[in-house]
Amino acid sequence: MPPLDAARETTDLGKDNKMSTRTQLLRSAATGILLAYTAHSQAFAQAQPAAAVPAKVSEVTEVLVTGSRISNPNLASPTPVTSIGELDLQRQSPKLFDALTTMPQFRASPSNKGFIGLATQSGGARLNLRNFGPQRTLVLVDGMRVPVSDDRGSVDVSLIPEQLIRRVDIVTGGASAAYGSDAVAGAVNFILDTGFRGTKAEASYGVSTYGDGDAVELSASHGLSFADGRGSLIVSGDYYHQQAIGPFNNKRDWYNSNAGVVINTAGAQPTQLVFNHGLNNLVPTGGLITSGPLSGTTFDAGGLPRPEVFGSPRDSIIMVGGEGAGRIPGGLIGSLKRGNFFLHSEFQASPNVTLFGEAAYADSHIQNLLQQSKTWSGNAPTIFSDNAYITPQLASQMLSAGVTSFRMARTFNDLPIITSDGDDKTYRVLGGVRGEFAPEWKYQAYAQYSQSKVTATYLNSLQFKNFSAAVDAVRDPATGQIVCRSTLAGLTPGCVPINLFGAGSVSPAGEAYIKGTQQVRTLTIDEWNYGANTQRPLFKLWADEPAILVVGYEGRSQKVNQATALPAGFADFTGIRGVPAGRITSSQFEVGGFFPYSGSVKVNEGFAELNIPVIKDKPLINALSVDAAIRYTKYDPSGPATTYKVGVIYEPIPDIRLRGSYSKDIRAPALFDMFQASSPISQTNIVTPFGIISQTSFGVGNPHLKPESAKTYTIGAVLQPSSIPRLTASIDYYHISLEQGIGAP
C-alpha cells in the first residue's frame, strides 16, 4: 500500500480581510498510518505487485466491461476510454471524489459538502460527466448498474469502498446500448480488487490554515481465502468526519467583514457596487416600518419608536454602514459524517460455476447552518392599530399620521439560525453466478436489491400560518389578556401571541409556536436490478479471429415514497389578518417545503452486441474491426425505446489506430420527474390592461413522460510509436446532441 499524500490543498476566498483565491483551506494532512500483514505471507506477497501497478491515464487497450459488454483481452474500444489506477488516484488526492473531479471530464460535479434542499441529498458525491448532469452519467461497479441514491436518478459514489478500488474506467459518449438508460454523457465503471488478500488500514487527519475544518478519516480492509482457495471473503469499512466551518467563525476576519454588493438605483440604469466590508442588512433586529407615513421607523428595547439611522449607499435590502442588523453569512462547509461497510464473497462450486455475493451499508449525515429568520419585502406582515404590543408613543404617531396599519419587516437575530439536517442510509445485497457452458462460452446472472432512505429536516424555519396568527395580537375583551385575534374567532387554538417591537421581544413560548412542526421528509426508494447474459465466439472472417456475440436480459423496478411531517398543499390562512399576498399561494415555510408523493417504475430490456474482427495483418490494414450493439427497452409507464451503437477501429500500421463511433442513447424520466407532487415554484405580478394579475408557477410530475434521447458520435486517433516504448498519445472529438430533454419549463 503506498503512503498517504502528505498534503491536502484546496482554495479559500481570502485572508486578512482581502479576497484571495491563493490561500489554502486545507494545507496539510497531519498523519498517515499504514498497516499490512497476512496470515499467509506468501500468498499476500504474490498479490501485492498486481495491486501496486498503476494504470496509465490514457487509452485502455484492454477493456473488459466499460466500453463494451464483450470480455476479451484483445479487444480495443472504438469509444474513448480513460482508465485511472489506484496509485494515480492517490497521487491526485486521498479522497476518491476529489481526485476524480480534478479531471476535466468532471469539472462541473457538485461538491459533497452542499446544503440540504428539496433536490439535494446529504453529503453525496455525484459525478457530472461533461456537464450533462449527474442523472445523465451512468455509474457501474464491476460492470453492473449501481442503484440510484435519490429520486432525481443520480448515484452517490462516496458509497463505493475506496480502499478496494483497483481502477476507474471512464467512457465518454453514449453507452446506453450496452448498459441501458442514463448513459447519455457516458459511463463510469469502478473496478474493485476482489482478489485482495491480507489486511490494510489507513488513518489521516487534516486541518485548515486557520485551524478549523478538521477532517478525520479511518479505513480498513481484510481479505482471506477458505476451502483450499476455492472461496474468498473481503470486508472493508471506512469512516469520515469533516467538521463544519460555520457562519459564526471568528478565525476568518475576511469572512465576517460583511462584504457584498449594493445595487445603486441612482442614474439612468441600476449599477452594482462591490464593497469589501461594512455592509449591513437594511432591516434591524428591532423591526422596521416599511410602508406609509411612518416608513423608516425602528424600535428600541421596550418597543419605543424612533427613526432608523440608514447607511449610504443602500438598496431595498443592503446598505453600507447604518444600524441595520449585521449580516450573518452562511457557512462555508457543513459538518459531514459518513460511514461505509462492504462485504464481497466468492465460491467456486465447480470448475465452471462460481457463486458470488455482496452486501453493503452506508450512512451519511450532514448539517448546515443556513441563515437567520427574517420577514422582509413581500414576507413582511401587516400590523394593525389594535395590536396589543403597540406602545402609547407609536399609537400617538399613528393617530397623528392617520395610519390604521403598516407593514413591518424584521431580522430575527434573537432566534436560532435556520439549520438543514440530512441523513442518507443505503442498504444493498447482491447475489449471482458466473461460469462457462463450454470453453469460451461464458455466462453470468445476478439479482440485486437496494433501499435508499433519505431524511431531510429544516430546523428553526418560520411556519407562516402560525407566524401570521401570532403577529396579530389583541386583548381579549373578556379577560384583558393578550391573545391571537384568530383564536378569539375559534380558528387557531393554542396560538401564542408574539411581540415584534424591539430586539429580544419574542418570548420562548412564542418562538416555539412560530417555528411550529419542523419540516421533515423521509424519502424511501426500493430498487431491484437483475439480469443475465452470455457470450460466445461465432464465425471467423479474414482476420482469423472469431466474432464474439453477447446477448442478455436485464430488468429493473423502482418504487418511491416520500412522507412529510405536514399535509401537502398550502396553508389555510382563513380568518387571519395581515398575511402577505405572496404567502397565501406559496410554501408554508420560510425555507423549503416538502410534499408527499409516491410512484413506481418497471423496466424490461433485451440487448445484443457483436464484435467482428474483419481483416488483420494486411498491407495498409494492420487491423480492422467493427462493433455493433442494440438494446430494446420497455418502460412502464414511459413506453418502449430502442438504442444502438456502431463503432469502427482501423489500424493502417501498428503504430496508428483510428477509431469512431455513432450511437443513440436515452435517459428515462427519473422518479421525481414523473411523480413529484404539485408544489409552488415562484410568484410573479403581471401587468395587463385589466390590472395587475398575480401568477403562481407550480412544479408537478408527469407520469406520461417519454425517455429523452441523445445522438453521439466520436472520432479519434491513437499513436503508439514502436520507436518510443510505453508512449501513447491520443486525440478524440465527441459530439452529443440531446433531444426531447426532460426538465422543468
Side-chain angles (χ1 to χ4, degrees):
M1 185 68 191
L4 288 178
D5 290 350
R8 299 181 179 182
E9 298 183 356
T10 59
T11 57
D12 206 318
L13 291 179
K15 184 178 181 182
D16 299 331
N17 295 327
K18 295 181 179 180
M19 303 297 286
S20 170
T21 58
R22 292 174 295 180
T23 307
Q24 299 167 350
L25 173 62
L26 295 179
R27 173 153 290 187
S28 63
T31 60
I33 303 172
L34 303 177
L35 303 174
Y37 70 88
T38 180
H40 305 284
S41 58
Q42 183 177 3
F44 182 55
Q46 293 173 350
Q48 276 292 85
V53 177
K56 296 179 181 179
V57 183
S58 62
E59 183 229 2
V60 179
T61 57
E62 179 180 340
V63 180
L64 299 180
V65 290
T66 303
S68 169
R69 280 280 186 180
I70 295 173
S71 176
N72 184 351
N74 298 318
L75 178 66
S77 173
T79 303
V81 178
T82 300
S83 183
I84 309 176
E86 176 187 3
L87 297 186
D88 293 308
L89 288 169
Q90 292 176 348
R91 290 190 186 104
Q92 292 291 328
S93 171
K95 292 301 297 174
L96 170 68
F97 180 74
D98 295 335
L100 290 175
T101 53
T102 62
M103 302 178 63
Q105 293 98 321
F106 298 115
R107 283 297 188 184
S109 297
S111 168
N112 64 342
K113 300 179 178 66
F115 55 82
I116 303 304
L118 193 61
T120 57
Q121 315 304 321
S122 58
R126 286 154 172 82
L127 295 175
N128 183 1
L129 187 57
R130 301 300 184 191
N131 201 24
F132 261 75
Q135 72 276 20
R136 296 184 181 92
T137 302
L138 180 62
V139 179
L140 310 166
V141 170
D142 290 333
M144 291 177 285
R145 176 184 290 267
V146 178
V148 299
S149 301
D150 57 60
D151 54 354
R152 305 301 176 106
S154 62
V155 173
D156 182 1
V157 299
S158 67
L159 306 181
I160 300 172
E162 291 191 25
Q163 272 203 331
L164 296 181
I165 294 175
R166 183 157 53 94
R167 75 173 193 269
V168 181
D169 292 344
I170 305 160
V171 55
T172 296
S176 292
Y179 292 104
S181 175
D182 304 338
V184 169
V188 183
N189 189 24
F190 294 86
I191 309 298
L192 301 184
D193 185 9
T194 56
F196 172 73
R197 302 293 181 268
T199 300
K200 57 183 175 181
E202 302 175 30
S204 65
Y205 169 80
V207 65
S208 79
T209 303
Y210 297 92
D212 57 12
D214 304 50
V216 176
E217 183 172 17
L218 307 171
S219 56
S221 300
H222 181 70
L224 57 86
S225 300
F226 60 89
D228 297 326
R230 293 167 58 199
S232 64
L233 177 68
I234 301 174
V235 293
S236 180
D238 82 299
Y239 171 80
Y240 178 76
H241 184 196
Q242 166 75 62
Q243 296 279 4
I245 303 179
F248 303 102
N249 191 316
N250 56 13
K251 298 180 179 180
R252 299 168 182 261
D253 293 339
W254 60 269
Y255 186 58
N256 295 289
S257 63
N258 292 337
V261 173
V262 176
I263 299 176
N264 181 17
T265 57
Q269 293 185 356
T271 56
Q272 292 185 332
L273 306 178
V274 180
F275 292 88
N276 289 331
H277 57 83
L279 270 65
N280 282 321
N281 290 329
L282 183 70
V283 179
T285 57
L288 177 70
I289 297 178
T290 62
S291 65
L294 301 181
S295 179
T297 300
T298 187
F299 302 91
D300 289 333
L304 298 176
R306 64 172 177 81
E308 179 180 358
V309 177
F310 292 102
S312 180
R314 68 178 184 180
D315 56 28
S316 61
I317 298 177
I318 302 297
M319 61 185 173
V320 179
E323 60 173 338
R327 301 183 66 210
I328 299 178
L332 279 177
I333 59 176
S335 169
L336 172 63
K337 293 181 181 179
R338 183 173 60 238
N340 298 338
F341 173 80
F342 176 81
L343 181 149
H344 177 92
S345 183
E346 296 186 8
F347 182 76
Q348 188 175 12
S350 72
N352 294 325
V353 178
T354 298
L355 306 176
F356 61 92
E358 292 180 354
Y361 169 76
D363 190 353
S364 181
H365 180 266
I366 192 168
Q367 188 176 80
N368 291 272
L369 299 179
L370 300 182
Q371 64 185 51
Q372 290 294 153
S373 291
K374 50 188 176 290
T375 53
W376 295 354
S377 185
N379 292 334
T382 298
I383 304 297
F384 296 92
S385 57
D386 60 349
N387 190 287
Y389 294 111
I390 290 178
T391 62
Q393 294 88 339
L394 178 58
S396 175
Q397 293 180 13
M398 294 178 67
L399 183 61
S400 299
V403 172
T404 59
S405 66
F406 55 81
R407 299 192 70 182
M408 183 175 178
R410 194 180 193 275
T411 300
F412 291 88
N413 281 6
D414 45 358
L415 298 184
I417 196 168
I418 298 174
T419 302
S420 66
D421 188 284
D423 186 79
D424 289 4
K425 289 183 173 64
T426 300
Y427 311 82
R428 182 173 68 88
V429 292
L430 179 147
V433 58
R434 64 173 177 265
E436 294 184 347
F437 293 121
E440 298 185 345
W441 186 357
K442 304 175 183 179
Y443 70 88
Q444 176 174 287
Y446 74 96
Q448 177 179 239
Y449 170 76
S450 69
Q451 183 183 86
S452 296
K453 182 170 288 188
V454 179
T455 303
T457 307
Y458 281 118
L459 305 172
N460 305 320
S461 179
L462 296 181
Q463 187 177 334
F464 274 101
K465 178 179 180 179
N466 289 9
F467 176 79
S468 300
V471 166
D472 193 12
V474 297
R475 291 195 177 272
D476 186 336
T479 65
Q481 299 295 317
I482 299 178
V483 296
C484 303
R485 194 193 66 85
S486 54
T487 301
L488 293 178
L491 297 173
T492 55
C495 178
V496 179
I498 60 171
N499 180 6
L500 296 185
F501 299 97
S505 57
V506 179
S507 67
E511 173 190 329
Y513 180 74
I514 61 178
K515 290 188 297 186
T517 302
Q518 300 301 326
Q519 300 178 72
V520 179
R521 73 158 176 170
T522 301
L523 175 76
T524 303
I525 300 176
D526 293 283
E527 180 171 347
W528 279 95
N529 284 277
Y530 39 86
N533 64 79
T534 182
Q535 169 184 316
R536 66 169 301 173
L538 298 177
F539 54 86
K540 292 184 180 180
L541 295 179
W542 304 276
D544 200 30
E545 291 184 3
I548 298 178
L549 174 68
V550 171
V551 296
Y553 161 82
E554 288 183 336
R556 187 165 67 255
S557 67
Q558 297 174 326
K559 185 165 73 172
V560 62
N561 181 72
Q562 177 164 288
T564 60
L566 292 177
F570 305 127
D572 183 5
F573 291 100
T574 301
I576 300 176
R577 294 190 304 178
V579 181
R583 275 293 156 199
I584 296 177
T585 54
S586 64
S587 171
Q588 302 183 40
F589 300 95
E590 180 185 6
V591 175
F594 303 129
F595 295 79
Y597 73 93
S598 61
S600 62
V601 173
K602 293 182 179 180
V603 183
N604 289 282
E605 47 196 346
F607 62 90
E609 182 178 0
L610 180 64
N611 178 262
I612 307 175
V614 181
I615 303 177
K616 189 175 182 181
D617 299 328
K618 301 295 181 182
L620 295 181
I621 308 179
N622 183 68
L624 175 65
S625 64
V626 177
D627 187 89
I630 189 168
R631 176 179 293 248
Y632 177 80
T633 306
K634 177 65 183 300
Y635 292 97
D636 183 10
S638 298
T642 301
T643 55
Y644 54 83
K645 186 171 187 175
V646 178
V648 177
I649 295 179
Y650 168 54
E651 295 182 8
I653 59 176
D655 293 2
I656 300 176
R657 177 186 303 152
L658 305 177
R659 60 190 179 189
S661 66
Y662 179 82
S663 67
K664 177 185 177 182
D665 305 281
I666 60 170
R667 179 182 78 89
L671 296 166
F672 184 82
D673 298 326
M674 291 188 290
F675 305 119
Q676 67 158 314
S678 177
S679 56
I681 297 175
S682 63
Q683 186 171 40
T684 306
N685 290 329
I686 301 175
V687 179
T688 75
F690 310 101
I692 297 177
I693 298 176
S694 179
Q695 171 188 286
T696 302
S697 299
F698 296 86
V700 62
N702 179 6
H704 303 291
L705 285 172
K706 304 298 181 183
E708 64 184 23
S709 63
K711 294 180 180 178
T712 301
Y713 62 85
T714 66
I715 186 170
V718 181
L719 305 179
Q720 293 177 301
S722 56
S723 59
I724 310 178
R726 303 182 65 182
L727 173 64
T728 298
S730 66
I731 182 170
D732 293 278
Y733 173 84
Y734 73 94
H735 182 275
I736 304 174
S737 177
L738 183 66
E739 300 175 352
Q740 300 174 338
I742 298 172

